[in-house]
Amino acid sequence: MEKHYQAGTHEGMIQFINMEDLELAATQVIPSGGYGYISSGAGDLFTFQENEKAFNHQLIIPHVLKDVENPDTMTHFSDDLLSAPIIMAPVAAHGLAHFQAEKASAKGVSEFGTIYTASSYASCTLEEIREAGGKNAPQWFQFYMSKDDGINLDILEMAKRNGAKAIVLTADATVGGNRETDRRNGFTFPLPMPIVQAYQSGVGQTMDAVYHSSKQKLSPKDVEFITTHSDLPVYVKGVQSEDDVYRSLDAGAQGIWVSNHGGRQLDGGPAAFDSLKYVAEAVDKRVPIVFDSGVRRGQHVFKAIASGADLVAIGRPAIYGLALGGSTGIKQVFDFFKNELEMVMQLAGTQTIEDIKNVTLRENRFI
């Protein structure tokens, strides 16, 4: 690991055609240890790779003569009006990619006009993130629970004080996945984690050590605890099965977040997109569904919404944009997804996001 960690310092417009180009360019800016942490998956990378491939399991049928022009991606969600149903996924330690860290990413996401999800393991304080994004910008808080309920209460109060509109309980990371790239690089966090500093400094620690300091035994009672003490809607993140839907909703969850942590936890598990349809059937429109993992195209956003997601979250692409262009780069990445989604909507004969929800995808029988 680099002795003196030097993240990106660029701010301004960046040049890229697609997300593959963007990631390649980011490798020249993000130091190797940080890039390995951001980009890698678990084990043999099977699930990591399947996340993107799985979108080809379902096909979008083009439609003509549908009287569609200038598709509208505006999305009403709760009491917020979003420029598109595309939000920022929680990603730890943005300071690994850019010296302005979450301050820049929150600003870029706010300028795009959507929800920013701050991570417990952020490189900035929630006060800094709130100020950078603006008081009127919708922000959620992703929560890794401590083993100490006193600390949990303090963090929940901090989130509420800083305007969090929802708490996202990451439930699929009670232990670190087999991150072999981090081990090869000897990666330890070079930056502090101010939000959780009462029980986890971060500096000089491996991801395994960070997770070990968090609560490793989660149950429905934890959802009840957060709901009771925050008075905010709780989204359970990491859901991939019907049983977990029922368990989460019975505990009072007001949202389900379909994710396999970007292929960073259980290698050999299903692609997140392949799990989405089963989760959506179990949810049966009772609560909103957020989806992430492997999203690299506007087509992916379209397919996720057609398969039951209300919102689609992006993680790694946003961080690569941050590394290359700061807040401007972040906004460019979100604009990329929005523009490509509009193109797909036009070609698929869908005028609005609600129209996408009524689309039936066709199973790809040729793979």
Side-chain angles (χ1 to χ4, degrees):
M1 185 61 196
E2 294 82 353
K3 185 175 181 180
H4 299 290
Y5 195 89
Q6 298 293 329
T9 60
H10 301 284
E11 176 66 43
M13 297 291 287
I14 55 180
Q15 299 295 320
F16 63 95
I17 300 297
N18 57 31
M19 294 300 102
E20 185 176 349
D21 291 349
L22 187 74
E23 181 172 357
L24 181 61
T27 64
Q28 306 303 308
V29 176
I30 305 174
S32 59
Y35 173 74
Y37 168 76
I38 294 164
S39 66
S40 63
D44 295 322
L45 303 182
F46 170 80
T47 299
F48 171 85
Q49 294 167 353
E50 285 298 306
N51 273 341
E52 188 171 348
K53 293 178 182 178
F55 288 104
N56 292 328
H57 297 168
Q58 299 290 324
L59 305 176
I60 304 168
I61 307 305
H63 285 290
V64 300
L65 306 180
K66 293 276 288 190
D67 197 26
V68 170
E69 184 179 20
N70 299 320
D72 183 7
T73 64
M74 295 294 285
T75 303
H76 289 274
F77 188 85
S78 186
D79 58 350
D80 293 310
L81 180 61
L82 311 179
S83 62
I86 307 166
I87 71 172
M88 182 70 206
V91 179
H94 292 199
L96 295 174
H98 195 274
F99 81 104
Q100 290 187 324
E102 286 82 5
K103 289 181 287 186
S105 54
K107 181 175 183 288
V109 170
S110 175
E111 290 175 349
F112 175 76
T114 194
I115 296 166
Y116 182 90
T117 312
S119 169
S120 286
Y121 297 153
S123 305
C124 297
T125 66
L126 282 179
E127 287 79 7
E128 291 172 322
I129 296 170
R130 165 56 59 190
E131 182 179 0
K135 292 185 177 180
N136 295 323
Q139 292 188 4
W140 294 359
F141 177 66
Q142 176 269 337
F143 193 27
Y144 283 108
M145 294 190 75
S146 165
K147 298 171 183 177
D148 184 328
D149 278 343
I151 292 174
N152 289 330
L153 290 172
D154 287 344
I155 293 175
L156 288 173
E157 193 280 328
M158 184 193 310
K160 286 192 67 175
R161 186 173 68 246
N162 285 283
K165 291 190 169 186
I167 303 296
V168 180
L169 174 63
T170 292
D172 64 352
T174 53
V175 65
N178 183 18
R179 316 266 181 95
E180 294 179 351
T181 298
D182 290 346
R183 287 157 55 194
R184 289 192 184 96
N185 289 335
F187 176 76
T188 60
F189 282 95
L191 305 168
M193 297 176 175
I195 295 172
V196 296
Q197 61 188 359
Y199 72 98
Q200 180 57 260
S201 71
V203 178
Q205 295 184 305
T206 65
M207 194 70 239
D208 284 342
V210 170
Y211 280 146
H212 186 71
S213 296
S214 301
K215 190 171 185 179
Q216 294 175 285
K217 185 179 180 181
L218 294 177
S219 76
K221 291 183 179 179
D222 294 301
V223 177
E224 297 168 6
F225 176 91
I226 297 169
T227 301
T228 299
H229 293 287
S230 72
D231 195 31
L232 291 171
V234 176
Y235 285 68
V236 176
K237 183 174 183 290
V239 175
Q240 288 193 269
S241 73
E242 298 95 321
D243 287 348
D244 286 349
V245 169
Y246 305 140
R247 190 176 300 110
S248 298
L249 296 186
D250 287 347
Q254 296 182 47
I256 295 294
W257 193 310
V258 179
S259 171
N260 59 23
H261 220 96
R264 297 161 70 81
Q265 286 301 101
L266 179 61
D267 193 32
F273 181 67
D274 284 341
S275 298
L276 176 57
K277 63 180 180 180
Y278 300 106
V279 170
E281 289 171 0
V283 170
D284 195 25
K285 300 182 179 180
R286 288 177 287 175
V287 298
I289 295 174
V290 183
F291 172 85
D292 77 37
S293 297
V295 179
R296 299 294 183 272
R297 286 285 186 185
Q299 288 93 324
H300 299 167
V301 176
F302 186 102
K303 290 180 181 182
I305 294 169
S307 299
D310 296 287
L311 299 174
V312 177
I314 59 173
R316 290 183 181 96
I319 300 303
Y320 300 143
L322 170 68
L324 293 162
S327 62
T328 302
I330 279 268
K331 183 177 182 297
Q332 276 187 264
V333 170
F334 276 86
D335 285 337
F336 166 89
F337 282 102
K338 177 178 181 291
N339 294 339
E340 200 165 71
L341 175 61
E342 289 172 345
M343 176 194 70
V344 176
M345 291 172 67
Q346 177 79 45
L347 296 175
T350 49
Q351 185 70 51
T352 68
I353 299 302
E354 286 302 312
D355 290 340
I356 301 175
K357 294 181 179 182
N358 293 320
V359 165
T360 299
L361 301 176
R362 181 177 295 174
E363 182 180 355
N364 186 352
R365 300 180 184 275
F366 302 100
I367 58 172

mmCIF file of all heavy atoms in Angstrom, residues 294-317:
data_model
loop_
_atom_site.group_PDB
_atom_site.id
_atom_site.type_symbol
_atom_site.label_atom_id
_atom_site.label_comp_id
_atom_site.label_asym_id
_atom_site.label_seq_id
_atom_site.Cartn_x
_atom_site.Cartn_y
_atom_site.Cartn_z
ATOM 1 N N GLY A 294 -23.854 -4.300 -10.790
ATOM 2 C CA GLY A 294 -23.578 -4.591 -12.193
ATOM 3 C C GLY A 294 -24.154 -3.618 -13.187
ATOM 4 O O GLY A 294 -24.056 -3.848 -14.399
ATOM 5 N N VAL A 295 -24.748 -2.523 -12.734
ATOM 6 C CA VAL A 295 -25.399 -1.577 -13.644
ATOM 7 C C VAL A 295 -24.336 -0.759 -14.378
ATOM 8 O O VAL A 295 -23.576 -0.007 -13.755
ATOM 9 C CB VAL A 295 -26.351 -0.646 -12.879
ATOM 10 C CG1 VAL A 295 -27.003 0.355 -13.832
ATOM 11 C CG2 VAL A 295 -27.407 -1.461 -12.142
ATOM 12 N N ARG A 296 -24.291 -0.903 -15.694
ATOM 13 C CA ARG A 296 -23.298 -0.202 -16.506
ATOM 14 C C ARG A 296 -23.904 0.448 -17.740
ATOM 15 O O ARG A 296 -23.188 1.098 -18.510
ATOM 16 C CB ARG A 296 -22.199 -1.183 -16.959
ATOM 17 C CG ARG A 296 -21.414 -1.829 -15.828
ATOM 18 C CD ARG A 296 -20.575 -0.834 -15.047
ATOM 19 N NE ARG A 296 -19.769 -1.456 -14.018
ATOM 20 C CZ ARG A 296 -20.181 -1.693 -12.754
ATOM 21 N NH1 ARG A 296 -21.409 -1.332 -12.392
ATOM 22 N NH2 ARG A 296 -19.383 -2.261 -11.889
ATOM 23 N N ARG A 297 -25.185 0.276 -17.971
ATOM 24 C CA ARG A 297 -25.840 0.790 -19.169
ATOM 25 C C ARG A 297 -27.236 1.317 -18.839
ATOM 26 O O ARG A 297 -27.884 0.864 -17.881
ATOM 27 C CB ARG A 297 -25.989 -0.320 -20.216
ATOM 28 C CG ARG A 297 -24.702 -0.723 -20.925
ATOM 29 C CD ARG A 297 -24.311 0.317 -21.942
ATOM 30 N NE ARG A 297 -23.159 -0.076 -22.742
ATOM 31 C CZ ARG A 297 -22.576 0.723 -23.644
ATOM 32 N NH1 ARG A 297 -23.068 1.933 -23.853
ATOM 33 N NH2 ARG A 297 -21.527 0.317 -24.324
ATOM 34 N N GLY A 298 -27.708 2.225 -19.700
ATOM 35 C CA GLY A 298 -29.100 2.643 -19.584
ATOM 36 C C GLY A 298 -30.041 1.476 -19.796
ATOM 37 O O GLY A 298 -31.122 1.419 -19.208
ATOM 38 N N GLN A 299 -29.644 0.515 -20.649
ATOM 39 C CA GLN A 299 -30.444 -0.695 -20.844
ATOM 40 C C GLN A 299 -30.608 -1.454 -19.530
ATOM 41 O O GLN A 299 -31.671 -2.033 -19.273
ATOM 42 C CB GLN A 299 -29.777 -1.614 -21.879
ATOM 43 C CG GLN A 299 -29.848 -1.105 -23.307
ATOM 44 C CD GLN A 299 -28.622 -0.285 -23.676
ATOM 45 O OE1 GLN A 299 -28.085 0.448 -22.853
ATOM 46 N NE2 GLN A 299 -28.195 -0.396 -24.918
ATOM 47 N N HIS A 300 -29.564 -1.460 -18.727
ATOM 48 C CA HIS A 300 -29.634 -2.161 -17.443
ATOM 49 C C HIS A 300 -30.643 -1.486 -16.521
ATOM 50 O O HIS A 300 -31.397 -2.159 -15.807
ATOM 51 C CB HIS A 300 -28.251 -2.182 -16.777
ATOM 52 C CG HIS A 300 -27.211 -2.892 -17.584
ATOM 53 N ND1 HIS A 300 -25.860 -2.798 -17.306
ATOM 54 C CD2 HIS A 300 -27.308 -3.702 -18.670
ATOM 55 C CE1 HIS A 300 -25.173 -3.536 -18.173
ATOM 56 N NE2 HIS A 300 -26.032 -4.087 -19.014
ATOM 57 N N VAL A 301 -30.630 -0.162 -16.517
ATOM 58 C CA VAL A 301 -31.607 0.577 -15.715
ATOM 59 C C VAL A 301 -33.020 0.245 -16.179
ATOM 60 O O VAL A 301 -33.914 -0.038 -15.370
ATOM 61 C CB VAL A 301 -31.350 2.096 -15.814
ATOM 62 C CG1 VAL A 301 -32.430 2.869 -15.044
ATOM 63 C CG2 VAL A 301 -29.966 2.454 -15.265
ATOM 64 N N PHE A 302 -33.232 0.271 -17.479
ATOM 65 C CA PHE A 302 -34.548 -0.040 -18.060
ATOM 66 C C PHE A 302 -35.000 -1.436 -17.647
ATOM 67 O O PHE A 302 -36.142 -1.629 -17.186
ATOM 68 C CB PHE A 302 -34.462 0.067 -19.582
ATOM 69 C CG PHE A 302 -35.771 -0.084 -20.303
ATOM 70 C CD1 PHE A 302 -36.441 1.021 -20.781
ATOM 71 C CD2 PHE A 302 -36.338 -1.343 -20.525
ATOM 72 C CE1 PHE A 302 -37.652 0.885 -21.467
ATOM 73 C CE2 PHE A 302 -37.535 -1.498 -21.190
ATOM 74 C CZ PHE A 302 -38.196 -0.379 -21.661
ATOM 75 N N LYS A 303 -34.122 -2.411 -17.800
ATOM 76 C CA LYS A 303 -34.490 -3.795 -17.480
ATOM 77 C C LYS A 303 -34.790 -3.976 -15.994
ATOM 78 O O LYS A 303 -35.695 -4.740 -15.634
ATOM 79 C CB LYS A 303 -33.371 -4.742 -17.914
ATOM 80 C CG LYS A 303 -33.239 -4.880 -19.434
ATOM 81 C CD LYS A 303 -32.105 -5.829 -19.818
ATOM 82 C CE LYS A 303 -31.961 -5.948 -21.323
ATOM 83 N NZ LYS A 303 -30.902 -6.900 -21.722
ATOM 84 N N ALA A 304 -34.046 -3.295 -15.141
ATOM 85 C CA ALA A 304 -34.297 -3.415 -13.705
ATOM 86 C C ALA A 304 -35.662 -2.846 -13.350
ATOM 87 O O ALA A 304 -36.411 -3.438 -12.560
ATOM 88 C CB ALA A 304 -33.196 -2.712 -12.921
ATOM 89 N N ILE A 305 -36.000 -1.708 -13.935
ATOM 90 C CA ILE A 305 -37.312 -1.109 -13.659
ATOM 91 C C ILE A 305 -38.426 -1.987 -14.212
ATOM 92 O O ILE A 305 -39.452 -2.216 -13.556
ATOM 93 C CB ILE A 305 -37.376 0.315 -14.242
ATOM 94 C CG1 ILE A 305 -36.391 1.223 -13.507
ATOM 95 C CG2 ILE A 305 -38.799 0.878 -14.138
ATOM 96 C CD1 ILE A 305 -36.185 2.563 -14.154
ATOM 97 N N ALA A 306 -38.244 -2.524 -15.411
ATOM 98 C CA ALA A 306 -39.247 -3.417 -16.000
ATOM 99 C C ALA A 306 -39.397 -4.698 -15.202
ATOM 100 O O ALA A 306 -40.443 -5.363 -15.264
ATOM 101 C CB ALA A 306 -38.858 -3.748 -17.440
ATOM 102 N N SER A 307 -38.382 -5.036 -14.402
ATOM 103 C CA SER A 307 -38.411 -6.273 -13.608
ATOM 104 C C SER A 307 -38.864 -6.039 -12.171
ATOM 105 O O SER A 307 -38.860 -6.979 -11.373
ATOM 106 C CB SER A 307 -37.022 -6.923 -13.606
ATOM 107 O OG SER A 307 -36.629 -7.263 -14.924
ATOM 108 N N GLY A 308 -39.237 -4.809 -11.838
ATOM 109 C CA GLY A 308 -39.818 -4.575 -10.525
ATOM 110 C C GLY A 308 -39.145 -3.543 -9.652
ATOM 111 O O GLY A 308 -39.656 -3.213 -8.578
ATOM 112 N N ALA A 309 -38.003 -2.994 -10.079
ATOM 113 C CA ALA A 309 -37.324 -1.988 -9.265
ATOM 114 C C ALA A 309 -38.003 -0.630 -9.430
ATOM 115 O O ALA A 309 -38.454 -0.270 -10.522
ATOM 116 C CB ALA A 309 -35.855 -1.887 -9.662
ATOM 117 N N ASP A 310 -38.052 0.119 -8.350
ATOM 118 C CA ASP A 310 -38.538 1.498 -8.404
ATOM 119 C C ASP A 310 -37.389 2.480 -8.607
ATOM 120 O O ASP A 310 -37.554 3.511 -9.256
ATOM 121 C CB ASP A 310 -39.282 1.839 -7.113
ATOM 122 C CG ASP A 310 -40.539 1.007 -6.931
ATOM 123 O OD1 ASP A 310 -41.524 1.270 -7.644
ATOM 124 O OD2 ASP A 310 -40.529 0.083 -6.085
ATOM 125 N N LEU A 311 -36.240 2.155 -8.020
ATOM 126 C CA LEU A 311 -35.045 2.969 -8.156
ATOM 127 C C LEU A 311 -33.862 2.061 -8.455
ATOM 128 O O LEU A 311 -33.814 0.928 -7.980
ATOM 129 C CB LEU A 311 -34.762 3.753 -6.869
ATOM 130 C CG LEU A 311 -35.825 4.752 -6.399
ATOM 131 C CD1 LEU A 311 -35.430 5.324 -5.043
ATOM 132 C CD2 LEU A 311 -36.017 5.874 -7.418
ATOM 133 N N VAL A 312 -32.904 2.564 -9.213
ATOM 134 C CA VAL A 312 -31.695 1.818 -9.553
ATOM 135 C C VAL A 312 -30.499 2.616 -9.051
ATOM 136 O O VAL A 312 -30.380 3.819 -9.348
ATOM 137 C CB VAL A 312 -31.597 1.589 -11.070
ATOM 138 C CG1 VAL A 312 -30.298 0.877 -11.417
ATOM 139 C CG2 VAL A 312 -32.806 0.791 -11.563
ATOM 140 N N ALA A 313 -29.639 1.962 -8.290
ATOM 141 C CA ALA A 313 -28.491 2.642 -7.687
ATOM 142 C C ALA A 313 -27.201 2.260 -8.400
ATOM 143 O O ALA A 313 -27.015 1.109 -8.794
ATOM 144 C CB ALA A 313 -28.389 2.289 -6.202
ATOM 145 N N ILE A 314 -26.319 3.239 -8.558
ATOM 146 C CA ILE A 314 -25.017 2.976 -9.163
ATOM 147 C C ILE A 314 -23.917 3.302 -8.152
ATOM 148 O O ILE A 314 -24.052 4.213 -7.341
ATOM 149 C CB ILE A 314 -24.808 3.764 -10.474
ATOM 150 C CG1 ILE A 314 -24.918 5.267 -10.244
ATOM 151 C CG2 ILE A 314 -25.797 3.300 -11.525
ATOM 152 C CD1 ILE A 314 -24.554 6.088 -11.462
ATOM 153 N N GLY A 315 -22.840 2.525 -8.220
ATOM 154 C CA GLY A 315 -21.759 2.688 -7.265
ATOM 155 C C GLY A 315 -20.427 2.926 -7.939
ATOM 156 O O GLY A 315 -19.964 4.062 -8.060
ATOM 157 N N ARG A 316 -19.777 1.857 -8.408
ATOM 158 C CA ARG A 316 -18.433 1.986 -8.972
ATOM 159 C C ARG A 316 -18.341 3.032 -10.082
ATOM 160 O O ARG A 316 -17.397 3.839 -10.087
ATOM 161 C CB ARG A 316 -17.944 0.629 -9.484
ATOM 162 C CG ARG A 316 -17.634 -0.391 -8.383
ATOM 163 C CD ARG A 316 -17.080 -1.660 -9.002
ATOM 164 N NE ARG A 316 -16.768 -2.694 -8.029
ATOM 165 C CZ ARG A 316 -17.588 -3.700 -7.690
ATOM 166 N NH1 ARG A 316 -18.794 -3.780 -8.260
ATOM 167 N NH2 ARG A 316 -17.213 -4.607 -6.814
ATOM 168 N N PRO A 317 -19.251 3.046 -11.080
ATOM 169 C CA PRO A 317 -19.115 4.062 -12.137
ATOM 170 C C PRO A 317 -19.082 5.485 -11.583
ATOM 171 O O PRO A 317 -18.322 6.328 -12.079
ATOM 172 C CB PRO A 317 -20.357 3.827 -13.006
ATOM 173 C CG PRO A 317 -20.683 2.379 -12.815
ATOM 174 C CD PRO A 317 -20.377 2.122 -11.369
#
